Amino acid sequence: MRSTALSLAIATAMTVFLAGCAEQRTNASSDKNRASDRELADEKQSAAKLKKAEIVGKELRGDIAANDATRGATAGEQRAEPQRRAKDDADALSTAAAVTVPAPVVTEESVAAAPPPPAEPKRVLAKPASIAPAPGIVAGMAGGRIATSEAPRDAQIANTEKYQDHADNPVLRTAETPVSTFSIDVDTGSYTNVRRMLRAGQLPPADAVRAEEFINYFDYAYAPPATRETPFSVTTELAAAPWNANRKLMLVGIKGYELPAASMPASNLVFLIDTSGSMNDADKLPLLREAFKQMVPNLRAQDRVSIVVYAGSAGLVLPPTRGDQHARIIAALDSLSAGGSTNGGQGIQLAYTTAKQVFIKNGINRVVLATDGDFNVGTTDLEALKTLVTNERKSGVALTTLGFGRGNYNDELSEQLADIGNGNHAYIDNLMEARKVLVEEVGSTLMTIAKDVKIQVEFNPRLVAEYRLIGYENRQLRREDFNNDKIDAGEIGAGHDVTALYELTLVGDADTQIDALRYAAPDAKAEGSKSDELAFVKLRYKQPDADSSQLISRAVKRSDMAENASERLRFAAAVAAFADSLRGGTHLGQFNLDAVARLADSVRGTDRFGYRAEFVELVQAARSLQPTQASPAVAISR
């Protein structure tokens, strides 16, 4: 009996014990499952963090304009922005990767349950107006108004811009120096660069102002040549100067023959694009991409387009491609991004090599360099770069330079390389300017109709006491260079206007500025019909494929003096006075910016594109930035 009871008790105890063990195993299994669930959740969370970090990295790299608009950085922070962004990207990725998790088990169920990847962040460059940080990109002329909302940002950027030092041409006494010789200049970069500064609420440094590039920005409606046998016409005018009734202005204007777009020869264009880290700002590479896209719709099957880029090294992004492959060209432009140092010399060499490989005989062969000019590795010395371009131009490939950006812009390099490279220089501050240079005036920009164009003026000392050439300070030539066909000079493109102004003081008029020499030889006697001649103007030029120059000449007579200056001469005088004022106003007497604005406003004319109206507003903007000045009563010749 006791034995049976004991056996029953033992059996009961064993049942309870085994039940407890089973329950523990069940609980342990549940705990293990919950742990596994937690680990899987941790794995998914870590993977999500990593994916998010990757997306953040893309956004940091892609959304340049949006970040630039919201960042209140100091000058030093802004200049180090590309490096800081790269560090932020790396930190974000390394933070996510540092989470230690077991390798996830990938199954069909987990793949099916995973959320779809987020959409690629959209670029904000498709529409120019969306690039908010740099209003200059799209500012142009909105109803003739000038935008100045970018002033705070410009004020923060440490300015390392480079401009060539130059002093104004001196007043010369005709009896001692009767001959003036210089090369023509068709560049306009100085005017648009200064426009950018004035829009930003800043007066330009004096050396940024080149009077001839201000004057030549505008069209003066010169009559074109009657035939193509002579590639350009010559116009001269003479009238009183608006800032001093005792002075006269003599205008020499050149107009190249105009070529319809359908008659343009085949083009071999190499876009040489700076993609270094300094080009990261919205008014540099993003604007540059959109600028070149303006050209694409007009490219034809017979044209060839290549894209060479350079940063720390140079590379070929788009090999020579038919011009009608528009989608391919635009895709290549869209693929460009900024980063690294700037080996401009290597880029120039590769661009010329590419252009020579597909050289088009009797066509347009040109490298178009787009840069802020901040070369900092490889060949960086300006003289060495000029030597490189001098040697390469012998191949028949010309060089055009387009300047972009601010803060580190190297105007001196861009302007001088274009001069040496038988090309022209423009500064692109917004898409409207890009369209003007690359679409509306593409013939002037790309097609040379006359090369090595020189002007020489001999003044008659019996009638002209003194003279001064306005602008062209870095285009001066020696007297003997005029007849020397080995001396390089400027080129004229199809439809180009070129204008030169001389300020004269005639014999017998008051306000001469230089005393006569005590021991000077007696004035030479002018004979016969030459007695009425104030000056004799000569021009030399070569046809694009010629080695010998041809001569054009004409006399300017005292009887040519107009009682009232023409509209073109009055507007050119206003532009010249504006440039002089920005350089210090040492030649204007009491003729201030108020007088300049009134004179320019009175001769706007038809102003089809609003350029003259914009000029008046730029004068007013400069006036508001200068110290208060009294407005004297000035007699303006109308």
Side-chain angles (χ1 to χ4, degrees):
M1 188 72 171
R2 288 180 180 177
S3 177
T4 301
L6 180 60
S7 297
L8 182 61
I10 291 172
T12 302
M14 288 296 294
T15 301
V16 172
F17 174 76
L18 292 174
C21 289
E23 183 179 359
Q24 287 179 352
R25 285 195 299 270
T26 301
N27 291 339
S29 178
S30 298
D31 292 341
K32 184 177 181 180
N33 290 337
R34 282 194 293 271
S36 178
D37 291 342
R38 284 195 300 271
E39 290 173 354
L40 184 59
D42 290 342
E43 292 168 5
K44 290 182 178 180
Q45 185 178 14
S46 298
K49 288 181 179 179
L50 183 59
K51 188 65 178 179
K52 182 176 181 180
E54 292 172 350
I55 295 168
V56 168
K58 289 181 180 179
E59 291 174 340
L60 287 170
R61 288 186 293 270
D63 200 4
I64 295 169
N67 285 342
D68 215 20
T70 57
R71 187 183 301 110
T74 62
E77 290 172 334
Q78 286 189 334
R79 291 187 62 79
E81 191 57 31
Q83 293 84 352
R84 192 184 72 78
R85 287 180 183 169
K87 183 177 182 301
D88 287 348
D89 290 357
D91 290 345
L93 291 170
S94 61
T95 299
V99 179
T100 304
V101 296
V105 179
V106 180
T107 66
E108 293 182 3
E109 292 79 5
S110 64
V111 171
E120 183 74 15
K122 293 183 179 179
R123 299 180 69 88
V124 292
L125 303 179
K127 294 182 180 180
S130 66
I131 305 176
I137 292 180
V138 294
M141 296 168 297
R145 307 306 300 174
I146 296 175
T148 59
S149 58
E150 59 185 345
R153 183 168 180 263
D154 266 11
Q156 293 172 355
I157 296 176
N159 193 329
T160 60
E161 297 181 4
K162 296 179 182 177
Y163 300 96
Q164 182 185 25
D165 295 338
H166 67 278
D168 293 344
N169 287 322
V171 176
L172 297 174
R173 187 167 177 81
T174 309
E176 301 162 18
T177 312
V179 179
S180 168
T181 309
F182 64 98
S183 163
I184 63 106
D185 180 14
V186 296
D187 297 345
T188 59
S190 175
Y191 178 77
T192 48
N193 186 34
V194 169
R195 179 175 69 188
R196 179 259 302 178
M197 298 181 201
L198 292 174
R199 282 177 173 159
Q202 299 173 355
L203 288 171
D207 288 330
V209 179
R210 293 186 288 273
E212 71 276 12
E213 296 186 26
F214 276 49
I215 295 169
N216 287 330
Y217 184 81
F218 300 94
D219 179 15
Y220 296 96
Y222 300 126
T227 69
R228 291 190 187 179
E229 294 178 3
T230 301
F232 52 83
S233 62
V234 180
T235 300
T236 57
E237 292 189 25
L238 188 66
W243 50 82
N244 188 329
N246 292 315
R247 307 256 168 83
K248 307 297 184 287
L249 287 181
M250 187 179 83
L251 176 148
V252 179
I254 299 173
K255 174 69 173 181
Y257 71 74
E258 297 175 341
L259 191 68
S263 302
M264 287 275 287
S267 299
N268 166 30
L269 304 177
V270 179
F271 298 158
L272 174 56
I273 298 176
D274 182 352
T275 57
S276 63
S278 68
M279 293 291 289
N280 225 6
D281 293 336
D283 57 352
K284 294 184 180 180
L285 186 58
L287 172 59
L288 183 157
R289 279 192 297 250
E290 299 302 318
F292 279 121
K293 287 181 187 179
Q294 302 286 311
M295 291 187 70
V296 174
N298 295 324
L299 294 173
R300 306 156 301 175
Q302 62 264 40
D303 301 325
R304 294 293 178 269
V305 175
S306 311
I307 299 179
V308 172
V309 300
Y310 65 92
S313 60
L316 185 63
V317 170
L318 181 71
T321 300
R322 277 179 26 180
D324 61 353
Q325 300 295 306
H326 296 167
R328 186 180 178 191
I329 297 169
I330 289 176
L333 290 168
D334 281 335
S335 72
L336 303 180
S337 60
S341 52
T342 315
N343 194 334
Q346 188 180 85
I348 292 172
Q349 289 176 320
L350 179 57
Y352 273 110
T353 299
T354 304
K356 288 184 286 188
Q357 288 174 348
V358 289
F359 188 90
I360 300 176
K361 188 176 181 180
N362 299 322
I364 297 170
N365 296 277
R366 189 171 295 259
V367 172
V368 183
L369 168 60
T371 180
D372 59 11
D374 192 9
F375 293 8
N376 52 35
V377 297
T379 304
T380 60
D381 178 71
L382 178 58
E383 294 305 315
L385 289 167
K386 288 165 67 174
T387 299
L388 169 62
V389 173
T390 298
N391 292 332
E392 293 289 356
R393 78 182 181 203
K394 297 174 185 177
S395 66
V397 178
L399 175 67
T400 286
T401 61
L402 303 179
F404 288 83
R406 54 200 164 179
N408 66 334
Y409 176 54
N410 191 337
D411 172 86
E412 180 180 13
L413 181 144
S414 296
E415 189 252 352
Q416 292 199 31
L417 289 187
D419 295 347
I420 294 294
N422 288 346
N424 42 45
H425 166 61
Y427 177 86
I428 308 298
D429 58 338
N430 58 58
L431 272 180
M432 293 189 71
E433 186 63 22
R435 185 164 187 82
K436 176 178 184 289
V437 172
L438 298 175
V439 179
E440 294 164 4
E441 300 176 0
V442 67
S444 303
T445 302
L446 300 180
M447 184 178 174
T448 299
I449 61 171
K451 66 181 183 180
D452 293 339
V453 183
K454 309 168 189 175
I455 298 178
Q456 187 170 80
V457 181
E458 180 185 356
F459 292 98
N460 182 354
R462 290 183 59 82
L463 299 179
V464 180
E466 299 169 346
Y467 67 90
R468 176 176 67 91
L469 174 61
I470 298 175
Y472 296 92
E473 283 84 3
N474 63 357
R475 302 303 182 106
Q476 296 296 302
L477 298 174
R478 295 172 300 182
R479 183 174 175 179
E480 61 267 30
D481 291 341
F482 182 75
N483 293 323
N484 186 347
D485 285 345
K486 298 295 184 181
I487 299 298
D488 182 61
E491 280 65 42
I492 293 180
H496 250 147
D497 277 7
V498 180
T499 300
L501 288 178
Y502 282 93
E503 182 187 48
L504 313 179
T505 303
L506 302 186
V507 172
D509 287 346
D511 289 342
T512 54
Q513 301 172 72
I514 303 174
D515 293 335
L517 293 176
R518 179 179 177 86
Y519 305 108
D523 291 341
K525 300 290 185 182
E527 299 177 359
S529 62
K530 298 179 183 179
S531 61
D532 185 44
E533 292 181 4
L534 288 174
F536 192 63
V537 179
K538 298 186 292 185
L539 293 94
R540 280 202 176 275
Y541 70 95
K542 298 174 188 172
Q543 294 287 352
D545 56 352
D547 294 323
S548 299
S549 65
Q550 300 181 51
L551 178 66
I552 298 175
S553 62
R554 68 164 55 193
V556 179
K557 299 182 178 181
R558 188 164 191 164
S559 56
D560 295 333
M561 181 85 65
E563 182 178 352
N564 295 309
S566 68
E567 180 180 290
R568 72 162 61 101
L569 180 53
R570 280 151 47 208
F571 188 79
V575 178
F578 182 45
D580 189 274
S581 179
L582 293 175
R583 287 184 54 80
T586 56
H587 302 286
L588 300 178
Q590 298 301 309
F591 195 81
N592 61 17
L593 287 177
D594 291 328
V596 173
R598 290 196 300 271
L599 176 58
D601 192 51
S602 70
V603 287
R604 287 193 189 185
T606 55
D607 199 18
R608 177 184 172 192
F609 295 107
Y611 298 140
R612 293 191 178 193
E614 181 189 51
F615 173 79
V616 173
E617 293 206 358
L618 288 175
V619 176
Q620 292 169 340
R623 172 66 181 83
S624 70
L625 296 170
Q626 288 188 341
T628 303
Q629 49 181 319
S631 299
V634 178
I636 299 176
S637 171
R638 296 187 182 277

